[in-house]
Amino acid sequence: MSEEAGRTTRRFLTPPVRQVHDFLRARMESQHMKVSVDAVGNLRGLWNAENATGKRLILGSHIDTVPDAGAFDGVLGVVLALELVESARRLQLPMTLEVIAFSEEEGVRFSFPFIGSRAVAGRLDPAMLDFKDADGVSIGDAIEAFGINPGVNADAVADHDAIGFVEFHIEQGPVLEAEELSVAAVGSIVGQTRLDLRFVGHANHAGTTPMHLRNDAMAGAAEWIAKVEPLARRTEGLVATVGKVEVQPNAGNVIPGVVEASLDVRHVHDSVRRTEVDALLEAADAISIRRGLKIESTMKMDEVSVPMDERLTAFMTDAMVAAGFPPKLIASGAGHDAMIMAGRMPAAMLFLRSPGGISHHPDETVRVEDVEAALKVGERFLERLAGELG
Ligand code: GLV
Ligand code: MN
Ligand code: MN
């Protein structure tokens, strides 16, 4: 289920997302879940809606992907959540489970991540529906084209009766493999800044314009991009990435007039991240002034580092021990829907080992034994939580 033959690419509400919905909806219905699609295209299934405790736990992850993605980032968490509905049925647990397949987490189509979980957490400002993709289609247009009325935003927001959110996800890094562990609970998720920089010069003829009379946006952007890596390396634990560049007019015999470059910066300490973002922007300003370019930056995301809920995470580490695994805790360098949901309700995460530490790449994979481990831990977690609900 992909936009591209031979590669897994599934951006917000593109046609393959409907195929994923059809597949998951059939699965949810076979599990006697009440299925709906909310105002931003999240697919939601409710199991055991009428239970005596009135308590509802939300499980889930995202079903969009980066371009040329692996098969597990996000969607594994949705499939595991549906398996845990089976566990809850078998164990006759006295709680409602809601499984959400979030429509968007990666930020690929609109350079704006977490559309799905922002809506559920009540953090999707209606003005954000006007953000446009590379083809000039707005988020609101994309939602309408999918057959949903984007005006009805309120139906996405989680009710206050939800007692928490739990996300299962591959680690996407090398730590668990290095320590020969199947799973780990997540202690916190690092903060991230994402912004777009626009270097504006003058497009002109590549053959007739002497080197000293140019305002080459590409030369300026390239000088800055080359500085990002050494600047980031000065700070322990900081990661900074320029992953996307667009050139106008993008022709071999024209001096580039405009270059747009993305910047993604992450660090466990928010103050360090913000200081380094400022330093990177100052470097871009200095280069632009010297080269006679204009520079504009647009903030796309500025999320603080988010600790997971202590109580739910303690239940998770207890569940790991009960299932026969060490209670390993790690920090997440990747962003997750749980970091947005944590603003609305207690949130916890369980990571599964990523072989080779590879993710955002088609070689991304997961071991069957680690999936089995995650299910065992998930079952013990649900039992532990149900015990508390009384
Ligand atoms: C999500 O995949 C991220 O970029 O952290
Ligand atoms: Mn991802
Ligand atoms: Mn993910």
Side-chain angles (χ1 to χ4, degrees):
M1 297 172 191
S2 173
E3 293 175 65
E4 304 177 285
R7 309 194 333 158
T8 300
T9 302
R10 217 165 38 238
R11 294 166 307 146
F12 180 62
L13 298 189
T14 51
V17 172
R18 195 178 299 284
Q19 291 174 278
V20 175
H21 275 202
D22 290 347
F23 179 86
L24 291 174
R25 177 186 289 275
R27 169 82 196 269
M28 287 173 171
E29 284 173 352
S30 76
Q31 294 181 263
H32 307 289
M33 299 171 79
K34 255 195 248 169
V35 187
S36 61
V37 177
D38 70 20
V40 295
N42 296 318
L43 182 78
R44 301 166 77 143
L46 212 54
W47 174 79
N48 198 24
E50 313 296 333
N51 85 92
T53 65
K55 306 285 192 210
R56 178 165 48 97
L57 178 72
I58 304 180
L59 300 165
S61 193
H62 59 99
I63 54 172
D64 67 318
T65 74
V66 295
D68 200 12
F72 300 94
D73 176 2
V75 73
L76 176 68
V78 179
V79 173
L80 281 173
L82 290 172
E83 280 304 317
L84 288 171
V85 168
E86 280 317 293
S87 304
R89 180 196 315 285
R90 187 167 26 80
L91 298 166
Q92 300 187 330
L93 297 181
M95 60 168 78
T96 299
L97 292 179
E98 179 174 10
V99 175
I100 306 186
F102 291 107
S103 54
E104 208 283 342
E105 186 263 4
E106 300 284 7
V108 174
R109 181 165 175 189
F110 293 95
S111 297
F112 174 64
F114 303 116
I115 297 171
S117 46
R118 271 181 216 271
V120 178
R123 282 186 49 194
L124 192 66
D125 183 333
M128 294 167 175
L129 296 178
D130 294 334
F131 292 172
K132 293 198 170 46
D133 69 8
D135 300 322
V137 178
S138 71
I139 295 179
D141 293 341
I143 292 172
E144 263 182 275
F146 200 74
I148 303 165
N149 178 359
V152 195
N153 220 334
D155 82 336
V157 181
D159 301 334
H160 283 289
D161 64 354
I163 54 173
F165 173 71
V166 178
E167 180 171 7
F168 293 76
H169 202 288
I170 50 171
E171 179 201 343
Q172 306 183 277
V175 176
L176 292 184
E177 181 162 75
E179 299 188 22
E180 298 183 11
L181 295 172
S182 284
V183 290
V186 175
S188 63
I189 301 176
V190 302
Q192 26 171 317
T193 302
R194 290 196 211 177
L195 46 85
D196 286 344
L197 259 75
R198 190 177 157 87
F199 295 82
V200 183
H202 288 291
N204 208 341
H205 198 292
T208 59
T209 317
M211 296 310 285
H212 68 287
L213 294 178
R214 297 176 174 215
N215 294 104
D216 183 335
M218 177 66 108
E223 185 181 338
W224 174 72
I225 291 168
K227 277 207 149 68
V228 170
E229 195 180 31
L231 277 175
R233 276 170 176 262
R234 293 182 319 191
T235 306
E236 178 70 27
L238 188 87
V239 288
T241 307
V242 178
K244 184 177 163 196
V245 178
E246 278 173 16
V247 185
Q248 288 172 31
N250 205 21
N253 61 349
V254 185
I255 298 164
V258 176
V259 172
E260 287 177 331
S262 64
L263 177 67
D264 177 317
V265 182
R266 310 184 191 201
H267 194 272
V268 276
H269 298 302
D270 296 321
S271 56
V272 173
R273 171 173 51 85
R274 291 198 169 121
T275 303
E276 294 308 314
V277 168
D278 288 347
L280 289 165
L281 291 178
E282 278 161 25
D285 272 341
I287 291 166
S288 299
I289 290 168
R290 178 163 42 75
R291 289 177 168 273
L293 305 173
K294 275 203 301 188
I295 186 142
E296 297 157 15
S297 67
T298 311
M299 184 65 79
K300 294 291 187 168
M301 168 171 171
D302 184 28
E303 291 293 335
V304 293
S305 175
V306 177
M308 293 292 91
D309 180 68
E310 263 181 43
R311 177 169 163 270
L312 285 187
T313 303
F315 288 178
M316 190 65 87
T317 49
D318 288 352
M320 291 162 75
V321 173
F325 302 101
K328 172 79 180 172
L329 264 182
I330 68 176
S332 172
H336 295 289
D337 293 303
M339 78 191 288
I340 303 298
M341 294 295 281
R344 179 83 181 178
M345 63 188 71
M349 285 193 81
L350 188 78
F351 273 173
L352 289 75
R353 164 169 42 191
S354 284
I358 294 170
S359 187
H360 284 184
H361 187 280
D363 290 346
E364 169 188 287
T365 186
V366 71
R367 290 195 195 166
V368 172
E369 71 190 82
D370 298 340
V371 173
E372 287 167 353
L375 283 173
K376 273 192 206 151
V377 174
E379 260 188 45
R380 298 289 86 78
F381 173 86
L382 292 180
E383 281 181 321
R384 177 87 169 77
L385 186 65
E388 296 288 313
L389 299 177

